[in-house]
Amino acid sequence: MSKITLKNLRHSYLSNPQSDDDWALKEMSVEWSDGGAYALLGPSGCGKTTLLNIISGLLTPTEGEVWFGDVEVSHLPADKRNIAQVFQFPVVYDTMTVYNNLAFPLRNRDVNESEIDWKVREIAAMLDLSDTLKKRASGLTADGKQKISLGRGLVRADVNAILFDEPLTVIDPHLKWILRSKLKELHQQIGNTMIYVTHDQTEALTFADQVVVMQEGEVVQIGTPVELFERPQHTFVGHFIGSPGMNVLACELDQGRPVYGGSAVETTGTVAVEDPSARLEIGIRPEFISFADQGIAVSVEKVSDAGRVNIVETRHGDDIIKLLVPDGGHVPSENAFLKFDPDHTQVYANAWMVS
Ligand code: ATP
């Protein structure tokens, strides 16, 4: 196991990249600490698989370096990097038994049979595959086969990291959440560095201690689930994480204090923005807005029942502002005022947080 460091990485699938858009990965430097549980989260096409394949060695980056601990591995092929990778679709040998499938990565590395037996049974028990060990893999459902793939990724103790590329896509929804919590448990037991690629925020937030959020080939924030929720560094993070996402509202600055819709908005500090043409916005999550006797004047447009809370959609001019009201809480029928919690009101310049 080792720390993984990516230094000044950039990747383009084109032979002669010119514009910013030609780069599938924009320049990034990222450190993945030894034994960490990471999620790589972002919408389809943002570059997650590209980044994962660069770490595993399936792809050589156009620019930059990949280090495992103190060793540069940028030019080492995938089979020399000692990485286990679990893909979206099962990779199993249909004609082999479940046992032999799980034993395969160990036999390939000449591990002795008694150790293999112990390890295979341990992993099979963790994944509820013990009863199927003697069956041929071909007889298993898609779920069962993907569990074998997971098992093959988890069975080796000596790997530098285990990479999961949307491994639960083919899994039945009911089993999905069981496996998701199981993977988290396995990380705690095994302690390997794990990087889990997904576009699903629930999967990312339940699995990872640290979430790496990507947008359009760029890492926009690395943080704990709480940090991403409470201090989104980029409006994309505020938008993408949370349900509903953060409200992003165009604002102005008056002596370092944000003004929205003609009213001063309280935050915890003052803001300094050097670029006078910067696009300025306030970010406030629906969880941190409440109705008040005075504040930002809105009209109430829609109330949706979301279980223990109601999502209330209000309008101020052209802006829709969403807030959460606990089930049974008072929702004014027409005109109302909103109060933003100053501790959770952030200011953004050109989408990046400045306070
Ligand atoms: P998804 O969640 O859909 O798998 P992703 O976040 O993993 O998406 P990538 O598959 O890494 O994103 O793709 C990033 C960008 O690179 C996309 O614009 C994609 O079209 C492009 N791309 C990916 N693979 C190739 C390839 N082999 N050749 C050319 N372009 C590619």
Side-chain angles (χ1 to χ4, degrees):
M1 284 193 278
S2 59
K3 177 174 87 174
I4 298 173
T5 311
L6 309 177
K7 295 184 189 173
N8 306 109
L9 209 68
R10 254 205 324 172
H11 189 72
S12 175
Y13 288 99
L14 306 177
S15 53
N16 186 21
Q18 305 280 334
S19 71
D20 228 27
D21 290 348
D22 291 345
W23 294 90
L25 291 185
K26 312 240 164 63
E27 185 168 331
M28 63 176 70
S29 293
V30 184
E31 225 177 72
W32 316 74
S33 54
D34 189 6
Y38 291 92
L40 199 48
L41 174 69
S44 183
C46 72
K48 305 181 294 294
T49 301
T50 304
L51 186 54
L52 209 64
N53 289 344
I54 287 175
I55 295 174
S56 67
L58 292 176
L59 199 61
T60 307
T62 313
E63 292 175 8
E65 298 169 7
V66 181
W67 290 70
F68 289 177
D70 299 330
V71 181
E72 188 185 353
V73 298
S74 311
H75 299 288
L76 271 191
D79 61 347
K80 297 279 188 303
R81 292 202 186 180
N82 210 9
I83 290 263
Q85 195 160 359
V86 180
F87 298 94
Q88 201 166 9
F89 298 101
V91 179
V92 295
Y93 297 106
D94 266 346
T95 53
M96 286 186 188
T97 60
V98 173
Y99 185 103
N100 285 338
N101 263 286
L102 294 176
F104 191 82
L106 300 174
R107 288 199 175 122
N108 247 351
R109 282 162 188 84
D110 294 329
V111 177
N112 71 59
E113 280 298 323
S114 65
E115 195 177 327
I116 290 177
D117 190 62
W118 176 80
K119 200 70 204 173
V120 165
R121 288 180 194 284
E122 183 193 30
I123 292 291
M126 286 176 183
L127 289 166
D128 292 328
L129 285 171
S130 303
D131 294 343
T132 64
L133 283 175
K134 289 188 184 149
K135 285 192 184 157
R136 270 176 201 254
S138 57
L140 267 66
T141 59
D143 290 347
K145 287 184 182 176
Q146 188 61 339
K147 281 209 233 171
I148 300 176
S149 279
L150 287 169
R152 284 158 52 105
L154 295 161
V155 78
R156 287 166 54 203
D158 63 334
V159 290
N160 283 312
I162 308 175
L163 312 182
F164 301 93
D165 195 350
E166 310 236 11
L168 304 184
T169 308
V170 295
I171 302 279
D172 174 73
H174 165 69
L175 198 61
K176 223 175 206 173
W177 77 263
I178 299 177
L179 279 182
R180 211 163 52 206
S181 359
K182 191 136 255 176
L183 272 181
K184 176 93 191 161
E185 216 178 288
L186 286 168
H187 176 260
Q188 279 154 2
Q189 285 172 30
I190 299 175
N192 281 90
T193 308
M194 294 189 185
I195 304 177
Y196 185 106
V197 163
T198 179
H199 60 266
D200 178 331
Q201 59 163 311
T202 316
E203 269 182 29
L205 301 178
T206 40
F207 172 74
D209 300 328
Q210 291 277 320
V211 182
V212 179
V213 186
M214 288 185 69
Q215 183 211 20
E216 294 176 358
E218 202 175 1
V219 170
V220 284
Q221 187 169 359
I222 302 175
T224 63
V226 171
E227 283 163 354
L228 299 179
F229 184 76
E230 295 200 343
R231 307 275 298 162
Q233 297 294 310
H234 192 280
T235 50
F236 174 77
V237 177
H239 223 49
F240 195 65
I241 290 174
S243 184
M246 183 171 81
N247 296 287
V248 179
L249 309 165
C251 73
E252 290 158 13
L253 279 186
D254 179 16
Q255 294 177 14
R257 305 227 169 242
V259 174
Y260 172 68
S263 312
V265 176
E266 218 185 315
T267 57
T268 48
T270 53
V271 181
V273 178
E274 280 167 22
D275 174 5
S277 63
R279 179 165 44 91
L280 297 172
E281 288 159 319
I282 287 172
I284 173 91
R285 289 200 178 275
E287 287 79 356
F288 304 122
I289 303 180
S290 50
F291 286 112
D293 295 333
Q294 52 183 355
I296 293 148
V298 293
S299 56
V300 175
E301 301 250 307
K302 189 174 158 191
V303 181
S304 318
D305 185 352
R308 278 178 294 167
V309 291
N310 288 311
I311 302 168
V312 184
E313 224 173 272
T314 67
R315 176 181 288 280
H316 177 90
D318 289 338
D319 292 334
I320 294 293
I321 307 175
K322 293 182 182 173
L323 67 151
L324 300 187
V325 174
D327 196 23
H330 175 64
V331 178
S333 55
E334 262 181 54
N335 296 325
F337 295 102
L338 298 182
K339 178 170 169 39
F340 296 171
D341 176 352
D343 288 342
H344 292 97
T345 306
Q346 272 96 229
V347 181
Y348 295 85
N350 293 331
W352 292 96
M353 193 172 90
V354 285
S355 83

